[in-house]
Amino acid sequence: MTVVFQPTPATLLPTTDGRQFPVRRIYCVGRNYAEHAREMGDDGREPPFFFMKPADAAWCVADGETGVLSYPTQTSNLHHEVELVVAIGVGGQDIPAERAAEHIWGYAVGLDMTRRDLQNDMKKQGRPWEIGKAFEQSAPMGPLHPKASTGELTSGNIHIDVNGVRKQAGDLSDLIWSVNETIAVISRAWVLAPGDLIFTGTPAGVGPVVPGDLMVCAVQGLGELRLTVGAAKC
């Protein structure tokens, strides 16, 4: 078979057991911590909603290293959102919540970087937010840890420091919709497959970063993700 051009290679993320995890899709859960929902203007346990990022938005910073996040174009209000990332290893549809953990391959600490000004403009116009969420480098992550080594993560500290100041902090047990419930809901709308990533939501305290800032993120048991913000592109 002749192709028009050579396909782009799959996005591969390193795992802590020395392998590579090919990324298929990236699902993101909106407003899944109560305090964050309130700071974004909502209250209560609303039904979960989702947006997506392209697979090539994901990239990994190795343990002990500090990555450089390029400040994206068209924004003057880039926000950090630290999240637990769940990697799917077994696909399925209409997955019961009580069986959802069987579909998890592993976990990582990640950031849902957001061009907040562009997202807010789209909200005001009732238009999709992809321009605010789905840009290059918008899903930096630490290495993926196999669930076989971490166990199922249902609690544990999650936080981010910016220039040594704690900006976001919470516990995985504070999720409005648990990881297993989230997997169940997603699998009713889409067919989950190996290689899918789920960004599970962010605690309260989201805020801006500027070139030169150092972000240090952590989820208990998954190590740290360290990033500096690079210069804005012309």
Side-chain angles (χ1 to χ4, degrees):
M1 180 178 65
T2 302
V3 295
V4 175
F5 53 85
Q6 289 302 310
T8 303
T11 298
L12 301 175
L13 299 176
T15 68
T16 57
D17 63 0
R19 295 184 286 172
Q20 298 284 320
F21 185 92
V23 180
R24 190 183 83 113
R25 294 178 181 171
I26 303 175
Y27 299 93
C28 304
V29 188
R31 299 176 185 172
N32 203 23
Y33 286 80
E35 290 300 322
H36 174 58
R38 281 191 278 273
E39 75 178 349
M40 299 304 289
D42 284 317
D43 199 3
R45 194 177 194 248
E46 63 177 343
F49 67 94
F50 307 96
F51 57 92
M52 299 177 76
K53 293 177 182 272
D56 63 1
W59 57 291
C60 183
V61 179
D63 283 334
E65 296 185 5
T66 301
V68 178
L69 174 74
S70 297
Y71 197 95
T73 60
Q74 297 192 327
T75 186
S76 58
N77 194 19
L78 179 67
H79 277 210
H80 57 76
E81 299 190 14
V82 62
E83 309 206 7
L84 171 71
V85 183
V86 175
I88 297 298
V90 177
Q93 190 171 23
D94 295 323
I95 299 167
E98 59 271 18
R99 302 292 301 272
E102 300 170 14
H103 295 257
I104 297 172
W105 185 87
Y107 306 94
V109 55
L111 278 167
D112 166 20
M113 299 304 297
T114 302
R115 296 192 282 203
R116 189 73 72 200
D117 43 1
L118 301 186
Q119 182 195 28
N120 288 342
D121 285 346
M122 294 300 101
K123 286 181 179 179
K124 291 175 184 176
Q125 298 177 61
R127 294 177 177 174
W129 317 340
E130 276 78 5
I131 195 168
K133 290 286 192 177
F135 53 93
E136 287 76 8
Q137 285 196 307
S138 61
M141 297 169 51
L144 284 161
H145 296 245
K147 189 183 70 172
S149 65
T150 65
E152 186 180 350
L153 297 185
T154 58
S155 63
N157 178 268
I158 176 172
H159 67 263
I160 180 172
D161 296 341
V162 179
N163 300 326
V165 178
R166 184 66 42 95
K167 294 294 186 178
Q168 291 181 264
D171 194 279
L172 302 180
S173 62
D174 296 332
L175 285 167
I176 297 171
W177 295 88
S178 71
V179 168
N180 290 346
E181 290 173 324
T182 296
I183 290 171
V185 173
I186 290 175
S187 75
R188 292 200 289 270
W190 296 276
V191 179
L192 281 172
D196 289 341
L197 300 177
I198 301 172
F199 279 64
T200 58
T202 195
V206 299
V209 289
V210 298
D213 283 348
L214 171 65
M215 298 182 286
V216 180
C217 317
V219 173
Q220 188 174 331
L222 301 180
E224 289 185 343
L225 170 61
R226 298 174 59 88
L227 291 164
T228 58
V229 182
K233 295 180 180 179
C234 297

